[in-house]
Every structure is written in structure tokens, then in C-alpha cells.
Amino acid sequence: MTTILWFKRDLRIEDHPALAHAVTLGGPVLCLYVVEPELWRQQDASARQYDFLRQSLPGLREALRRRGADLVLRVGDAVEVLEGLAGQYAVDHLVSHEETGNGWTYSRDKRVAGWARARGIRWTELRQCGVVRGLTAREGWQRARNGFMGQAPVIAPDHVEGIRCDSDPMPAAADLGLMPDGIVDAQPGGRRAGLRCLDSFLDHRGQHYRRAMSSPLEGATACSRLSPHFAFGTLSVREVVQATKARQEVGRKAGWSGSLKSFQARLAWRDHFMQKLEDQPDIEHRCLHPAFEGLRPMEPDAARLAAWQRGETGLPFVDACMRSLTATGWLNFRMRAMVMSVASYHLWLDWRATGRHLARMFTDYEPGIHWSQVQMQSGTTGMNTLRIYNPVKQGLDQDPTGAFTRAWLPELAEVPDRFLQEPWKWQGAGRLLGQAYPAPIVDVQMAARAAREAVWAVRQQDGFRPVARRIVKKHASRKSPRARGRQVKQPAKGADQLSFDF
């Protein structure tokens, strides 16, 4: 009998519990990856993400071939592909990792589960990160997560008795309806690229991580840049946690252990936020606190949305961040929070529309982190501190020399440094704004004030607090297992800034 090992977002053989389990079942293993056209037609999918996938599959195939197996690539609906292979190869087991993906993959997995039951095929899904499926309460979660991360990474098998059969050609992005999306400086995919990224971060780039990660300019180098490799699974979080731990002793002697400690904390928060979507899949589509439904127009102002997407809001630092994101597929954590905050509060755009755009732009799009953060930065969770970023202040604080802003907004070349983040105050604004560069589409102070009042009005409504307490109980972090039975406190100030771009 044959086992199908279904690769999804776990494109490696190292620290791969599903592969190890498939080998122990005995008999041949058919290693399968399915390119699902409908998945790539979803509104959160983009060509930059697909290109990263295409760059990652050859390395996986090569690693399997060195062990006697192969990667079978099929294009189509997962259930139909599985059905065809099951009939051809007498399949009795299906093995994969658990996936905390978007709503479409959640629905697809339910269809696969139904198919497997009807076929009499046992589907085993294994854990590959700190997320716990079927969690009933957050008490003890941190201990369980840390226990998993402390276990030795699973060693890749020396040999896999694989089945080699024909593969479909890998579709081009355009074949799936994915058009060029403006990226010009894409981060390369594949495990080799991921390992180079990890090695350089732990060797030297991470030295100033704690200080530089908030800067859009310095953060591009000081951050690990491992997030797309986590999203596609070319690296496992556990192997990075343990590699970082091994480096921390050396880092302590070199004087930069604090940066590595901060990085470890964000690896843990990554799992924390993914757990939210695992526990409540509808947060991709519905406000975590239902009282916020209808707060903003469901049909966003088209002109404002387009200006924000293109980086033409007239708010220089916001526009620079959006243009940088479009061109590179990456943005540091604080700036992700800021552009979302400005979209939700100052521009008063519904988080679903802006969240989908950012999902497409992020090469490292991870649904569990993304939708939790999108709602957090939009004030719709009911349990987080209300943070309305001032984009002018953020520009002054995080780009004090103006180098980042000027790199992405060359039309502001003649604006003096002191007016760069507020060009409307410059005496030459009349010949610039509305011509080479747009005038601001909102008044920053007035828009923030109106947004704050509207959100707080919802929070003052009768019945708001009991629902918020239930949300806290279900989703808020616990400092330690000893917190069981105590009143759960609100997350510490600043915790809502985390966006896990690493």
C-alpha cells in the first residue's frame, strides 16, 4: 500500500515530522505538491508569492531525489488530484502537516477530510510549529509551545522509498491569472537562500536588530528577513529557534545577546498570533469584536483606497513605505503597523479591503499573523490598546535623515529637510503639491481625532465589555502557566506593534 505525503507550506525535508512519519508507515511514499489554480485566484494571492513558491520547489525536489524519492507536481483541485492518485497507486494513508491558512485552504481541507473518510483513507496531520489544533483555553499554551520548540528537530531520513510518476508542467504565473504586481527587488525563495539568510543574520546582520528593526532603512538589513521562508516552510521555526539559542551564548560574549533575545520573543509571538486564526478562522472576514461591524463603510472610498495603494496620499512617509513595499515585497514591522493604522483611522477605510491589498503585497503573507495584526491596527479586536500612528511623527522618528523617504519619493528632491514630512508647510508647496506630488488627502490631526471619537463611542456601548472579556479569555497571551486562574491582564503597551516581519 502507498502513502501520499502532501506538501503544502512546508517545502523542506529537514525538521519535517510529516515526512518522518510517512517513512515509518512502511511501503512507498508518493511525495506530492498540488498547484491549485483556485487558491491563486483568491484576493490575497499575488505573483510575487507564486514566484517565491516556484523558486522553492526545485530545491525540495532535489533533496527528495538524493534520498531515492521525487516530488510529483500536479495542477488542479486537491480532491480530484488525490482521487486520481489514490486509485492508481492503492493509497491507504495521506500524511501532511497541519495548516493554519486562509479561509479557502480551511474549506479545502474540510473537503479533503470528507474525501478521505469516504475513501477509507487515513489522513494524519502533524504539528510543525507552536500552534495547537483543538485548543480549548490559552492557559498552558506557552508551556506547550516552548516544549515543542525545545524538542530536537526531526532529522531528515537517509532514504525514502519513493514513487516516481509523471508531473504536470509548472504553470507560469500568468497561466493562473497572476499579473505582474510591480515588484522589482524580490527576495529569492528556496531553502538555500533561507539558510544563507539565517546564517548572515546570526553571524553579523542581527547585531543591531533590537535598535534598528523599527527603521524602514536599517531594518531591511538588520531584520532576519526569514519571514517568507517561514510562510512557505523552506525553514522551520523550530530549527531557527534552536540555531538562535546556540548563537545567543556567542552573542552574549560579543555584546549583542539582547538583539537575539528580542528575535526569540518575536518568534514566540508569531505562533501566538497564528493561534488566534487557528482558534477562530472567521477573523479573516469578521471583526473580532462584533460591535465594530459597520464602523467603517464596507465599500471603501475608491479614490482614497487607490491613493493609499499607489503611495499617493500626500503623506510622504506613508507613500514612501507603500512604494517600497510594492517594489520589494517587504516592510519592517513598525511601518506595517503604521500604513495599516493610517488606512483604517485617517483614511477611514475598512480593514478587509486594505488587508487584502497588503496580503498581496507581502511576499511573506502569513494569514494567521496578517489578519490578527490587520484587525489589531484597525482597533476592531476589542481587547488591544487603541494606537493611532501619526505618520508625520513616524517619519521624523524613524527616518530622521530623510534618506528612506527621498529614495522612494524623488519628486520631493527640492523640499528642504525640515519640511520633508510636511511639504505643505514649505513656501514652495504651491508649485509642488497637486502637480509633481499630491496634496495630502486628509488633515492628519482632524482625521485622527474623528477616528478616535468614533472608535471610543463603540467601546462605550452597553454590552461591549462582557464580549471584550470573552475575547481576552480566548485570545490574549498568558505570561506563564502560573497565570491560570488569575485575572488576565491586557497586553503590555507596545505589544500591539509586533508584526513579525523578522
Side-chain angles (χ1 to χ4, degrees), residues 176-444:
L176 300 173
L178 298 169
M179 296 296 105
D181 52 22
I183 197 164
V184 295
D185 187 18
Q187 189 170 341
R191 182 170 174 83
R192 288 193 182 94
L195 289 173
R196 287 195 298 269
C197 213
L198 174 61
D199 290 344
S200 64
F201 176 72
L202 295 181
D203 180 67
H204 59 277
R205 288 192 299 109
Q207 182 172 0
H208 302 294
Y209 175 79
R210 176 175 281 182
R211 174 189 60 79
M213 63 181 172
S214 293
S215 164
L217 197 61
E218 294 182 86
T221 299
C223 290
S224 77
R225 305 300 299 270
L226 294 172
S227 49
H229 295 284
F230 292 147
F232 287 89
T234 55
L235 298 177
S236 80
V237 176
R238 179 163 57 187
E239 62 181 327
V240 173
V241 165
Q242 297 199 16
T244 304
K245 183 179 179 181
R247 187 67 176 82
Q248 279 179 281
E249 181 58 35
V250 179
R252 189 175 298 114
K253 295 176 181 178
W256 51 292
S257 60
S259 285
L260 296 179
K261 182 178 179 181
S262 293
F263 179 61
Q264 289 278 38
R266 279 157 179 78
L267 292 175
W269 276 93
R270 176 186 187 275
D271 289 338
H272 163 71
F273 276 96
M274 288 184 64
Q275 187 71 53
K276 292 174 184 280
L277 185 64
E278 177 69 31
D279 293 343
Q280 191 168 338
D282 69 353
I283 64 173
E284 178 186 352
H285 307 291
R286 298 183 59 80
C287 293
L288 188 59
H289 196 303
F292 289 110
E293 291 293 344
L295 175 65
R296 300 175 176 94
M298 285 295 291
E299 287 295 327
D301 183 299
R304 286 189 175 188
L305 177 60
W308 176 78
Q309 291 173 333
R310 293 193 301 262
E312 297 176 355
T313 66
L315 305 174
F317 195 49
V318 173
D319 292 344
C321 287
M322 293 300 290
R323 295 186 194 183
S324 173
L325 172 60
T326 299
T328 69
W330 185 87
L331 196 62
N332 69 310
F333 82 91
R334 186 180 291 268
M335 276 48 272
R336 295 188 188 209
M338 182 200 69
V339 297
M340 191 67 216
S341 172
V342 169
S344 294
Y345 293 120
H346 298 85
L347 305 184
W348 207 238
L349 300 171
D350 187 80
W351 58 268
R352 282 156 279 228
T354 51
R356 287 191 293 268
H357 176 75
L358 290 180
R360 292 189 293 271
M361 293 295 100
F362 292 148
T363 303
D364 59 11
Y365 169 54
E366 182 74 73
I369 301 169
H370 182 74
W371 294 110
S372 298
Q373 284 291 306
V374 161
Q375 288 215 42
M376 184 177 288
Q377 305 305 338
S378 302
T380 57
T381 68
M383 67 174 183
N384 297 108
T385 303
L386 185 64
R387 291 185 62 86
I388 302 178
Y389 286 75
N390 183 322
V392 174
K393 183 178 186 301
Q394 288 296 309
L396 295 172
D397 290 349
Q398 306 304 332
D399 188 26
T401 69
F404 177 80
T405 302
R406 291 189 184 282
W408 294 104
L409 302 181
E411 58 266 49
L412 300 184
E414 63 176 312
V415 179
D417 288 349
R418 62 179 295 196
F419 297 111
L420 181 60
Q421 301 301 340
E422 299 175 283
W424 52 89
K425 292 184 177 181
W426 176 45
Q427 63 180 3
R431 66 176 183 271
L432 172 71
L433 302 184
Q435 299 179 64
Y437 184 69
I441 61 177
V442 293
D443 181 290
V444 171

Side-chain angles (χ1 to χ4, degrees), residues 55-66:
Q55 293 170 24
S56 299
L57 289 175
L60 174 60
R61 170 171 280 162
E62 177 186 341
L64 289 168
R65 284 178 172 175
R66 288 200 303 267

Side-chain angles (χ1 to χ4, degrees), residues 32-35 72-76 81 85 88 165-168:
L32 173 69
Y33 187 85
V34 184
V35 177
V72 177
L73 178 72
R74 292 294 169 90
V75 180
V81 168
L85 293 171
Q88 186 176 359
C165 59
D166 293 339
S167 286
D168 293 336

